[in-house]
Amino acid sequence: KAGVTQTPRYLIKTRGQQVTLSCSPISGHRSVSWYQQTPGQGLQFLFEYFSETQRNKGNFPGRFSGRQFSNSRSEMNVSTLELGDSALYLCASSLRLAAENEQFFGPGTRLTVL
Amino acid sequence: GQQLNQSPQSMFIQEGEDVSMNCTSSSIFNTWLWYKQDPGEGPVLLIALYKAGELTSNGRLTAQFGITRKDSFLNISASIPSDVGIYFCAGQISNFGNEKLTFGTGTRLTIIP
């Protein structure tokens, strides 16, 4: 069974631009969670989507948004990029809600904002 | 954002040595998880703990859920080169509608040749 895939793996943007990251969960998994990983802040939870609905949200500004499609694939969007948004963005999928099931992480998308 | 205190931040050991790391929180958790992250990869779940006092093993790895529910420990016995990586603890409290994971700051394990 294929694992969680994320595209693109690497991305370079400039301040003020917007970016969309994609995550394809493991087949049959209905929950997708997004995390931001930085050396200073570690792994921070962004949001979780389940059955196309946002179920949980972390403490990030409204510039960070996401959505989930009927096939459980998820996208994360960051608008008006800031230098501090440079990070590894990880998504994780689970069979049902992340609180009830093991999460499997993808390899991440490394975003660099110049 | 909230983080768990994980120590030590880094460890330099020789192959064959045992390793211990721990995670503490000011809040109680219902679940403690331990992950390992290799360079260029996402974290991989090593051990999950669901009950205070629980001691669980996975091969050479042993983890414990602290009695106070505010801490957890991970031990690795007889370390081998593939143990190199960053280890994260994560805690979860199952308040309905707020079940997100809170991650520790990580322990970087390096094996000295």
Side-chain angles (χ1 to χ4, degrees):
Chain A
K1 188 190 279 192
V4 178
T5 57
Q6 290 186 246
T7 56
R9 290 294 307 274
Y10 302 91
L11 205 49
I12 298 176
K13 292 285 189 178
T14 56
R15 278 181 299 176
Q17 287 187 310
Q18 68 94 27
V19 67
T20 299
L21 312 181
S22 180
C23 173
S24 292
I26 292 172
S27 177
H29 284 196
R30 294 172 60 194
S31 167
V32 173
S33 298
W34 288 90
Y35 295 85
Q36 182 195 64
Q37 186 176 29
T38 60
Q41 295 295 316
L43 270 155
Q44 301 284 328
F45 172 77
L46 281 154
F47 28 66
E48 178 186 9
Y49 285 86
F50 178 78
S51 292
E52 302 177 65
T53 302
Q54 188 180 89
R55 283 296 307 252
N56 283 300
K57 190 175 188 304
N59 299 320
F60 279 81
R63 300 185 296 107
F64 292 81
S65 63
R67 58 178 176 167
Q68 187 179 34
F69 302 94
S70 58
N71 62 357
S72 295
R73 189 177 71 85
S74 177
E75 287 182 347
M76 191 193 91
N77 187 77
V78 188
S79 62
T80 320
L81 283 166
E82 300 176 1
L83 294 179
D85 296 334
S86 294
L88 181 68
Y89 289 89
L90 293 159
C91 83
S93 77
S94 56
L95 200 56
R96 291 183 292 277
L97 288 174
E100 304 165 8
N101 300 102
E102 178 182 349
Q103 292 184 71
F104 295 85
F105 283 84
T109 293
R110 184 163 295 282
L111 172 65
T112 301
V113 182
L114 303 176
Chain B
Q2 182 185 0
Q3 281 187 332
L4 301 175
N5 294 316
Q6 191 171 340
S7 66
Q9 276 192 315
S10 57
M11 302 184 73
F12 296 85
I13 61 167
Q14 291 189 320
E15 186 176 346
E17 284 188 37
D18 296 342
V19 170
S20 289
M21 60 190 80
N22 69 80
C23 215
T24 59
S25 169
S26 56
S27 308
I28 61 172
F29 289 107
N30 291 343
T31 301
W32 280 96
L33 306 166
W34 284 92
Y35 288 86
K36 177 175 182 271
Q37 186 174 22
D38 292 326
E41 301 293 330
V44 174
L45 182 66
L46 298 173
I47 293 181
L49 302 158
Y50 300 105
K51 191 175 168 183
E54 181 181 355
L55 186 72
T56 297
S57 293
N58 178 8
R60 294 176 297 104
L61 276 62
T62 302
Q64 183 159 27
F65 192 141
I67 288 290
T68 65
R69 295 168 64 195
K70 291 184 178 181
D71 57 7
S72 180
F73 305 87
L74 175 70
N75 295 315
I76 305 173
S77 62
S79 57
I80 60 177
S82 62
D83 291 334
V84 166
I86 303 177
Y87 291 79
F88 292 97
C89 62
Q92 188 170 53
I93 184 77
S94 298
N95 291 326
F96 185 74
N98 185 26
E99 299 95 350
K100 64 180 187 290
L101 284 178
T102 301
F103 279 85
T105 46
T107 295
R108 182 181 294 272
L109 179 63
T110 302
I111 293 185
I112 307 167

